[in-house]
Amino acid sequence: RLGAIDVKVIAYMAAEGPAMLQSGEEKAYDYNNESPYVDSCSVCPGLTGMLGPYCECAPSVWQWERYVSSQYGFVNDSTFKVAYAREIVGEYAERYSPILAGFLFDQGAYADVSEIFKTVKKYNENTVLSFNKGPRAPLGFNNFPYEDFTFGYPTNVNEKLPGDCTNYPMIKSVE
């Protein structure tokens, strides 16, 4: 139906994936029983091997690690990145390629850019890609030949207001 009204959809994805490569396990939605959907205290002991009631884990991260280990033989940052590209991005690319015009990957430093490129293009060679990886200013294609457009954003508003001079070089490069 989106094609009937000429809407182009670009999917935003966090490239750190379920391994939480940038943020760390403590920032996962289900860490330390923070999710109403997951009882970390009952699940974590079986995943971590810790005895007794143990809540300080993120079951989603541990289950992803087990899955990657079972499929790829071992776990490190590289296998997490490849698994994210093939398993998660691949699922979205295959399922939604008819309606997705592109993907925008935030946290691009935590992505296997070439693997994501191969995976997405396998399902639709016309899908456009961008990775938030590289310097903010001047904006440019930091992941040639794997990206079709560039994106970024000014300094976090918790650190500096949008009108702060810190953001001027990026804003100027957009003009």
Side-chain angles (χ1 to χ4, degrees):
R1 285 168 83 229
L2 293 175
I5 56 174
D6 198 30
V7 171
K8 305 290 187 232
V9 176
I10 295 178
Y12 169 95
M13 296 188 76
E16 72 173 344
M20 302 296 289
L21 293 177
Q22 177 183 12
S23 304
E25 178 183 7
E26 297 80 16
K27 297 289 186 185
Y29 76 96
D30 56 350
Y31 181 78
N32 199 18
N33 232 23
E34 291 295 319
S35 170
Y37 308 107
V38 180
D39 181 1
S40 298
C41 295
S42 66
V43 176
C44 287
L47 292 170
T48 64
M50 300 293 288
L51 299 175
Y54 179 72
C55 304
E56 295 181 11
C57 90
S60 60
V61 173
W62 283 77
Q63 289 165 341
W64 175 245
E65 182 176 326
R66 282 187 170 184
Y67 175 80
V68 171
S69 180
S70 74
Q71 298 299 306
Y72 295 84
F74 62 96
V75 174
N76 63 23
D77 283 1
S78 293
T79 53
F80 276 137
K81 291 174 183 182
V82 168
Y84 172 77
R86 293 178 183 170
E87 309 292 332
I88 295 176
V89 176
E91 172 74 18
Y92 281 94
E94 179 180 21
R95 185 180 295 193
Y96 299 110
S97 66
I99 61 169
L100 280 179
F103 288 91
L104 183 153
F105 293 93
D106 204 356
Q107 305 157 338
Y110 299 92
D112 184 325
V113 172
S114 64
E115 192 66 40
I116 289 174
F117 179 86
K118 286 189 299 190
T119 300
V120 169
K121 296 297 185 170
K122 177 170 74 172
Y123 296 105
N124 184 346
E125 64 184 26
N126 296 317
T127 304
V128 296
L129 298 168
S130 185
F131 301 88
N132 189 8
K133 177 182 178 184
R136 290 182 182 204
L139 282 178
F141 291 100
N142 298 314
N143 302 289
F144 181 81
Y146 303 111
E147 67 184 351
D148 301 291
F149 65 100
T150 187
F151 84 100
Y153 40 82
T155 304
N156 187 317
V157 293
N158 293 328
E159 298 171 27
K160 301 284 183 181
L161 293 174
D164 189 90
C165 292
T166 305
N167 295 318
Y168 181 73
M170 182 183 182
I171 302 303
K172 187 70 177 158
S173 73
V174 172
E175 294 179 336

